[in-house]
Amino acid sequence: MASYLITGIAGFIGSSLAHALVERGNEVRGIDNFSTGKRENLAGIEKRVDLRELDLKTPSVALNAACNGVDYIFHQAALPSVPRSVLDPTSSNQSNIDGTLHLLVAAREAFQRDGRLKRLVYAASSSAYGDTPTLPKHEAMLPLPISPYAVTKLAGELYMQSFHRVYGLPTVALRYFNVFGPRQDPTSQYSGVMAKFIRAMLRDEQPTIYGDGEQSRDFTCIEDVVSANLLACSAPAKKVAGRVFNIACGRRITLNQTFQALKKIIGYADEAAYGPERTGDIKHSLADISLAQELLAALEKVSAS
Ligand code: UD1
């Protein structure tokens, strides 16, 4: 049994990781400031999680204590959303950049104390690629972030690489591409499009497509993101530490196609409304997932055989 710390444990991805780890019999500790996370996301496992209400925006003794004595850290805590960051870049910066740095400093202290920490896996974002015309996006491409959110997520990645190079901390950055699945919050104006569309259609409300709907995304299901995180922990450090991996499905679909597919599944009768294109949006997103296939999924095949 291994011991894990999840930051942002009450969020969509953090809680999905927590459920998976508890199911596998691991010891799970989690921190959250509940700014966007919800306690209900931990329903059924709350008694098996050491939950600590903590904000990464300020360094604290409690944060150092949370990093102490764990084998793995999954850093999922962040203020998500491109449009939120366009409206309020300072808050995104504080949560995503300051918060990440404070976690890294606390993790480094734990690592240097007893060397127990084997991996710190960071939730990076496909938004780092920006609007580069090349598709699919591969890790060797120069990042060209557009929105403040994308800048904050890329800064976190660079800090991960720096702490690996400078202090030997075994960090891995996983660039998630538009994740969707159960427990994704559909209620905020900043929610991911898939959750928003499904909620609207189920309530017989009309979803709005921003722009012409021909923008495309590589929608990635949460189960794949959970697997990628687990594999990033079990892969040999010499192969993955200090590196960045795209985590995605490897296929893209336009928003118009997404809407039509959901409409059919849900049995929604109306058409979508169209609104102005969103500032900071990128047009197309598609991942080259060969690096993850080579270094992470290959491992899965070995462990399954
Ligand atoms: C971006 C990142 C993603 C990250 C997320 C965090 C890219 C390619 N992806 O997602 O990795 O996890 O930020 O928030 O940069 N839309 C509508 N109607 C709506 C809501 C959204 O048409 O009601 C459109 C948006 O304008 C956009 C697309 O749907 O074109 C996807 O939007 P969203 O789900 O918010 O994610 P991204 O901003 O693409």
Side-chain angles (χ1 to χ4, degrees), residues 5-305:
L5 169 68
I6 304 173
T7 72
I9 192 169
F12 161 46
I13 301 176
S15 63
S16 303
L17 284 164
H19 281 272
L21 291 172
V22 166
E23 256 167 44
R24 290 164 172 77
N26 294 290
E27 218 169 73
V28 178
R29 185 183 292 170
I31 59 182
D32 210 294
N33 66 358
F34 296 100
S35 69
T36 58
K38 294 188 167 61
R39 286 181 196 275
E40 311 81 278
N41 284 339
L42 300 171
I45 57 165
E46 57 276 76
K47 289 197 174 70
R48 298 178 61 190
V49 168
D50 171 4
L51 178 61
R52 305 176 185 193
E53 188 163 350
L54 235 172
D55 197 326
L56 293 179
K57 288 199 288 295
T58 38
S60 62
V61 174
L63 175 57
N64 287 354
C67 292
N68 211 1
V70 295
D71 300 298
Y72 303 101
I73 299 177
F74 289 135
H75 178 35
Q76 309 300 308
L79 204 51
S81 170
V82 167
R84 187 203 311 260
S85 77
V86 171
L87 275 177
D88 179 8
T90 308
S91 294
S92 297
N93 193 92
Q94 286 165 346
S95 293
N96 303 354
I97 302 185
D98 295 351
T100 295
L101 181 58
H102 297 150
L103 174 75
L104 276 166
V105 170
R108 180 198 61 181
E109 202 182 292
F111 178 68
Q112 289 178 338
R113 186 179 311 119
D114 57 16
R116 176 168 174 176
L117 183 67
K118 294 176 197 63
R119 208 63 41 91
L120 192 167
V121 186
Y122 168 68
S125 167
S126 62
S127 57
Y129 289 110
D131 225 356
T132 45
T134 313
L135 289 178
K137 318 274 190 200
H138 60 83
E139 295 86 345
M141 284 168 63
L142 187 69
L144 287 171
I146 299 172
S147 64
Y149 171 78
V151 171
T152 67
K153 283 302 208 171
L154 178 61
E157 260 185 41
L158 297 173
Y159 266 128
M160 290 295 145
Q161 290 174 357
S162 168
F163 271 61
H164 174 62
R165 295 291 296 269
V166 177
Y167 308 110
L169 201 67
T171 60
V172 180
L174 303 181
R175 274 187 191 159
Y176 303 156
F177 281 65
N178 292 73
V179 188
F180 70 95
R183 282 191 288 272
Q184 185 168 30
D185 178 11
T187 58
S188 153
Q189 57 169 318
Y190 300 124
S191 298
V193 69
M194 197 79 93
K196 271 180 92 176
F197 277 13
I198 293 170
R199 179 174 196 259
M201 288 183 195
L202 288 172
R203 294 159 66 101
D204 216 20
E205 292 166 2
Q206 193 177 29
T208 301
I209 293 178
Y210 301 135
D212 63 4
E214 285 306 298
Q215 66 267 47
S216 59
R217 293 293 182 271
D218 190 335
F219 288 108
T220 307
C221 98
I222 183 68
E223 282 85 359
D224 290 341
V225 170
V226 169
S227 300
N229 274 275
L230 299 179
L231 290 166
C233 291
S234 50
K238 62 178 186 314
K239 289 206 163 159
V240 299
R243 300 189 70 170
V244 176
F245 295 90
N246 286 342
I247 301 302
C249 175
R251 282 192 299 257
R252 74 187 164 105
I253 172 170
T254 67
L255 272 201
N256 287 327
Q257 289 168 328
T258 307
F259 170 77
Q260 290 305 332
L262 290 173
K263 183 177 155 161
K264 212 163 149 189
I265 296 166
I266 294 170
Y268 178 74
D270 210 349
E271 288 308 318
Y274 284 81
E277 199 175 304
R278 219 171 56 175
T279 314
D281 241 20
I282 70 152
K283 191 72 183 170
H284 299 297
S285 181
L286 171 69
D288 179 331
I289 54 172
S290 49
L291 196 62
Q293 280 170 329
E294 184 194 333
L295 292 177
L296 300 177
L299 196 92
E300 191 168 34
K301 277 183 209 130
V302 172
S303 56
S305 60

